[in-house]
Amino acid sequence: MPSAATTKKTTAARARPSARSTAQQAATDGKLHMHSLDVHAPVHIPYFTPGDVVANTQAMTSKLPKLPKLPTRDLLFYGGLGTLTVAGALDWPVALAIGGATAILRRGRHE
């Protein structure tokens, strides 16, 4: 009959796998085994709610200078002029001259 010390050693040896058997298991199943340490530290991450975004946008746009509103007719004219330039029907210096002259003539007429 084995002594109590011998029984303890053999039981402990059976309970913990050897380094070789763990390495063989990792090689055979193709998975990497790793440990991680979970640390629960207070980390403050700023974020915006939809209400914050709306409030910030309204606050910033109220500080911008007021721009004169372009009438729809002017917007269509300059948009069409830009479209013709991009399409290649007009060269950009010609489109710039037409747009500038039109703006000067219309401003002189309104004043």
Side-chain angles (χ1 to χ4, degrees):
M1 177 150 186
S3 68
T6 310
T7 307
K8 268 188 176 178
K9 286 182 184 177
T10 56
T11 306
R14 284 188 210 142
R16 105 179 87 106
S18 66
R20 183 174 180 187
S21 65
T22 305
Q24 286 174 348
Q25 181 185 2
T28 57
D29 66 2
K31 295 179 183 176
L32 295 177
H33 300 279
M34 65 171 40
H35 298 278
S36 63
L37 176 65
D38 292 332
V39 178
H40 298 285
V43 177
H44 301 286
I45 300 172
Y47 64 95
F48 294 110
T49 63
D52 293 338
V53 173
V54 170
N56 291 340
T57 304
Q58 289 173 347
M60 289 298 114
T61 55
S62 68
K63 295 180 181 183
L64 292 174
K66 301 294 180 199
L67 298 174
K69 292 186 177 183
L70 286 176
T72 307
R73 191 183 86 196
D74 289 348
L75 193 61
L76 287 173
F77 174 75
Y78 293 117
L81 195 61
T83 303
L84 288 172
T85 305
V86 169
L90 288 175
D91 290 330
W92 70 267
V94 174
L96 188 62
I98 292 171
T102 304
I104 291 171
L105 290 174
R106 286 185 181 169
R107 184 176 295 154
R109 192 180 334 155
H110 291 296
E111 289 179 4

